[in-house]
Amino acid sequence: MTGPLKRPMMEKSPQILNRRRQKRSWVTIFGSVAGVAILGLTGFRGLPTPAQHWVSHSGCKSQDSPYGSFPQENDPFHFLPCTDASRPPPLDDPTPQQTWAALFDPNPSHWSWGSNSRGIYLCGYLDLPLDYHNASDTRIVRIAVTKFQVAGLPLKNDSDITPTSYKSKRTLIIEPGGPGGSGTSYLWDTAEEMTKRFSDGQLDALGWDPRGVNVSLPSAACYPQDAHRDRWSLLALRYREEAPRAQLEMMDAMNNATFFACQQRLGDFGRFVSTAVVARDLDEIRKALGEEEVTGYFVSYGTGIGQTYVNMFPDRAGRLILDGTEYVRDHRLLGGFGWTSLDNATDAWHDGFLGECINAGPEACALAQPISGQDGPVTLEQLEKRMTQLLSSLQTRPQSAYTESGGPSLITYSALVENILYPAMYRPANWPSIAQLLYDLEAGNATLAANQLDLSWSSHSSHPTYPHTPSSSELELLVICSDSYDAPIPDGLTWWDELWANMTAQSWMAGNSRFFAVFPCRHYNTYWDAPSEVYRGDLNNTLKTPVLLIASPYDPATPLRNGRRLLGEMGSNARLIVHHGYGHSSRRDPSDCTDRVVKAYIKDGVLPHEQETDCYANRRPYVDSAGDESV
Ligand SMILES: *[C@@H]1O[C@H](CO)[C@@H](O)[C@H](O)[C@H]1NC(C)=O
Ligand SMILES: *[C@@H]1O[C@H](CO)[C@@H](O)[C@H](O)[C@H]1NC(C)=O
Ligand SMILES: *[C@@H]1O[C@H](CO)[C@@H](O)[C@H](O)[C@H]1NC(C)=O
Ligand SMILES: *[C@@H]1O[C@H](CO)[C@@H](O)[C@H](O)[C@H]1NC(C)=O
Ligand SMILES: *[C@@H]1O[C@H](CO)[C@@H](O)[C@H](O)[C@H]1NC(C)=O
Ligand SMILES: *[C@@H]1O[C@H](CO)[C@@H](O)[C@H](O)[C@H]1NC(C)=O
Ligand SMILES: *[C@@H]1O[C@H](CO)[C@@H](O)[C@H](O)[C@H]1NC(C)=O
Ligand SMILES: *[C@@H]1O[C@H](CO)[C@@H](O)[C@H](O)[C@H]1NC(C)=O
């Protein structure tokens, strides 16, 4: 697929995931290791099975801190206090544990402590089987894990504590979705907020990069560098409204080329990334934590991992929140990841972005200002008409633009919808600035729009160690396509062309973007045999603990309809909060009511009696202070 495209079901956009980069770059020191990540794939065959036993690293110079030495004995995660260097060792490292232990920096002032608590960030990894169903396949995946331990670390001289006594009894495992979202990045961005929101700061939080993602190894990057992906994505990023049928051929040929490259670079890895396999990894994380059940907060596509997990391991279902709920059964259908998630991005645009703008008035929303030649207050009808005109004029001819950082630039219809408008539906806090951007654009000033588009590119190109670390963008496609691998695929492009037409007709806002995420599946079976496992069972197994679902009527990626369908199947094994707010998942437009219910559930195990609970957002978009725009 194309570089700047959003990962559709992800909780946050890539540029925002990267916000923390400067503070916490895995790659700064290990830039040169990136080459090994690719080489590592050659050495990726025939590696030793995950070491089940602790290998002493007494051969290494063992350094001590007031908190003792790390990693501690018998720690399955090999946790070190995180520093910029804590990136899991390459797969072809013959002595990864020694390499890792040598990264321990004994100076506590170099460690990452919580911002206003004694909590500490711990970095580790877990070696897991590549194939859970073939004991003679000894290859592994190396999963990156980061934990925020709220109690901090015990001092070495504190004699009456055991090494694990600072671990909270249960750990809040968090998952940002995607497929392809980095759980370690998500943890850096949200851990302190999460533990406060769900447990008054009592529970540790843990995030992991799912197999193929970010710093987990191998990394599902099918281009040698992000610049190569960007180069070709320009051809592919053209919406149906702009490009005729020839575009379908172009994208299809590019998708084939991409999967061919994935197969060349990653071999059969594409067979081992399905959601069911990720659910098994999650169970290994649970075991490594030494906990009986999974406690967690899973968002967006993460809710698909959660639904799959609790139905594969019903006795391990703990207090699990699935926020921005999809119905994972849909992903078994060809294109189902796309066409079942289309409503309600256009409702969010019409009722939310535009409608609330009119309600808020010109003081709070630039687009509510009359344009020249118009009298009186702007009506919703007028505004919608103006926007339709703006969009269709861009379809006819893109707007030329210029930015100091990027030079010459174009505002195309496709780029505007893909990288600015659709993502804006995820984040109501951004609406005032997007409204200003559109108001300027309408008046012929493309500066703000061009600057915003620049951001969506620079998430690749401004990387500090660019060009060494290609991002794992192709993982998304491999997951989506393995989950639907056995759906019959019609010959030729006619069916796909119809699907594209249907999806864009149903939603001009989301239809193209979603189509691009499923169209590559036409080629999955050409390059990979059946996935090692997919989950095809029912979703109504009797769970040890019912799960708590959250869904919003205006969610542009995971509409309420899907949450209700899931609830219908799960029955008494789930409750649903209908979160009446804008944006994707309940974090984007918070509600005290939602927060009360989720805290009672995670902290005290209390569930609402009713199957559905209605909760309303605290704030009005545009008018009330929006809080942190990016989180
Ligand atoms: C199991 O793994 C072995 C060793 O890699 C391989 O030769 C064999 O084909 C695999 N079997 C299946 C069913 O994938
Ligand atoms: C333990 O060490 C810390 C500093 O390293 C010191 O402040 C504290 O007093 C010591 N506690 C005991 C019980 O020795
Ligand atoms: C990968 O993870 C590191 C550390 O968690 C983070 O700094 C970086 O932004 C992540 N990259 C992506 C593409 O998410
Ligand atoms: C797919 O790509 C491969 C590698 O470039 C090429 O050999 C093959 O002909 C392509 N197939 C189609 C259907 O385009
Ligand atoms: C266009 O908008 C930018 C950003 O708001 C502003 O700095 C610039 O002066 C505007 N240009 C013109 C010609 O109005
Ligand atoms: C497209 O929509 C039409 C009309 O609803 C339907 O008959 C057809 O099956 C759809 N085709 C695809 C590929 O979704
Ligand atoms: C799940 O639903 C199916 C029908 O879809 C039903 O046959 C089955 O008994 C249900 N299982 C449980 C555990 O309720
Ligand atoms: C969302 O989609 C559903 C199903 O298509 C529809 O009934 C509903 O009116 C839409 N809008 C909202 C705000 O719920």
Side-chain angles (χ1 to χ4, degrees), residues 267-415:
D268 61 354
F269 185 62
R271 293 187 52 228
F272 305 106
V273 297
S274 64
T275 302
V277 176
V278 175
R280 292 206 182 272
D281 291 343
L282 173 59
D283 202 51
E284 297 301 318
I285 290 170
R286 176 194 65 74
K287 288 181 202 163
L289 281 168
E291 297 180 20
E292 288 294 305
E293 304 160 358
V294 165
T295 305
Y297 176 71
F298 288 20
V299 186
S300 197
Y301 162 73
T303 72
I305 300 173
Q307 294 159 47
T308 305
Y309 178 78
V310 294
N311 282 287
M312 284 171 68
F313 303 94
D315 296 340
R316 301 301 182 185
R319 299 169 194 172
L320 186 60
I321 295 175
L322 306 182
D323 190 357
T325 308
E326 58 177 33
Y327 188 31
V328 78
R329 206 181 255 286
D330 291 341
H331 301 181
R332 303 174 188 179
L333 311 171
L334 189 62
F337 188 93
W339 57 260
T340 63
S341 59
L342 287 180
D343 44 289
N344 291 350
T346 36
D347 288 336
W349 164 260
H350 180 268
D351 301 357
F353 182 79
L354 300 180
E356 299 286 357
C357 171
I358 298 297
N359 292 342
E363 300 274 290
C365 176
L367 282 173
Q369 301 168 68
I371 51 171
S372 57
Q374 250 183 9
D375 293 331
V378 178
T379 65
L380 178 55
E381 215 178 357
Q382 286 168 340
L383 178 55
E384 187 159 37
K385 198 161 151 226
R386 272 165 51 195
M387 290 299 107
T388 306
Q389 268 163 9
L390 173 64
L391 293 171
S392 74
S393 80
L394 290 173
Q395 285 169 25
T396 312
R397 180 184 165 90
Q399 165 89 47
S400 307
Y402 170 79
T403 68
E404 218 170 295
S405 56
S409 175
L410 277 186
I411 315 301
T412 66
Y413 170 77
S414 304

Side-chain angles (χ1 to χ4, degrees), residues 66 155-159:
L155 283 160
K156 196 174 55 171
N157 61 5
D158 195 346
S159 56

Side-chain angles (χ1 to χ4, degrees), residues 291-592:
E291 297 180 20
E292 288 294 305
E293 304 160 358
V294 165
T295 305
Y297 176 71
F298 288 20
V299 186
S300 197
Y301 162 73
T303 72
I305 300 173
Q307 294 159 47
T308 305
Y309 178 78
V310 294
N311 282 287
M312 284 171 68
F313 303 94
D315 296 340
R316 301 301 182 185
R319 299 169 194 172
L320 186 60
I321 295 175
L322 306 182
D323 190 357
T325 308
E326 58 177 33
Y327 188 31
V328 78
R329 206 181 255 286
D330 291 341
H331 301 181
R332 303 174 188 179
L333 311 171
L334 189 62
F337 188 93
W339 57 260
T340 63
S341 59
L342 287 180
D343 44 289
N344 291 350
T346 36
D347 288 336
W349 164 260
H350 180 268
D351 301 357
F353 182 79
L354 300 180
E356 299 286 357
C357 171
I358 298 297
N359 292 342
E363 300 274 290
C365 176
L367 282 173
Q369 301 168 68
I371 51 171
S372 57
Q374 250 183 9
D375 293 331
V378 178
T379 65
L380 178 55
E381 215 178 357
Q382 286 168 340
L383 178 55
E384 187 159 37
K385 198 161 151 226
R386 272 165 51 195
M387 290 299 107
T388 306
Q389 268 163 9
L390 173 64
L391 293 171
S392 74
S393 80
L394 290 173
Q395 285 169 25
T396 312
R397 180 184 165 90
Q399 165 89 47
S400 307
Y402 170 79
T403 68
E404 218 170 295
S405 56
S409 175
L410 277 186
I411 315 301
T412 66
Y413 170 77
S414 304
L416 181 68
V417 178
E418 178 76 23
N419 289 325
I420 297 182
L421 299 188
Y422 186 31
M425 299 306 106
Y426 284 51
R427 278 180 291 279
N430 291 0
W431 289 0
S433 61
I434 305 293
Q436 182 69 51
L437 176 161
L438 290 173
Y439 183 79
D440 282 11
L441 191 60
E442 198 185 10
N445 184 339
T447 304
L448 292 177
N451 281 331
Q452 187 67 30
L453 284 183
D454 262 7
L455 288 179
S456 61
W457 290 101
S458 60
S459 65
H460 300 308
S461 55
S462 72
H463 199 285
T465 54
Y466 183 88
H468 292 297
T469 50
S471 48
S472 53
S473 310
E474 285 70 40
L475 189 271
E476 172 192 8
L477 309 177
L478 295 176
V479 173
I480 292 170
C481 299
S482 29
D483 282 353
S484 65
Y485 85 100
D486 52 354
I489 300 183
D491 282 341
L493 288 176
T494 309
W495 184 86
W496 295 98
D497 196 28
E498 240 181 78
L499 180 67
W500 194 18
N502 283 3
M503 288 175 69
T504 49
Q506 199 188 326
S507 175
W508 62 268
M509 176 74 84
N512 283 284
S513 189
R514 295 288 156 161
F515 176 72
F516 294 169
V518 298
F519 188 32
C521 296
R522 180 165 126 76
H523 297 285
Y524 178 85
N525 297 301
T526 309
Y527 298 106
W528 292 282
D529 292 336
S532 114
E533 177 177 16
V534 290
Y535 181 70
R536 290 292 182 255
D538 288 331
L539 300 176
N540 59 356
N541 287 321
T542 304
L543 307 183
K544 185 170 179 192
T545 315
V547 298
L548 182 59
L549 315 177
I550 308 177
S552 305
Y554 285 106
D555 191 309
T558 52
L560 173 61
R561 183 173 50 87
N562 292 344
R564 287 211 166 114
R565 289 162 66 224
L566 175 66
L567 182 70
E569 177 164 2
M570 293 188 81
S572 60
N573 292 295
R575 304 287 187 281
L576 172 68
I577 300 177
V578 179
H579 177 86
H580 298 271
Y582 293 109
H584 183 35
S585 88
S586 69
R587 292 178 60 242
R588 292 298 167 67
D589 198 2
S591 152
D592 290 342

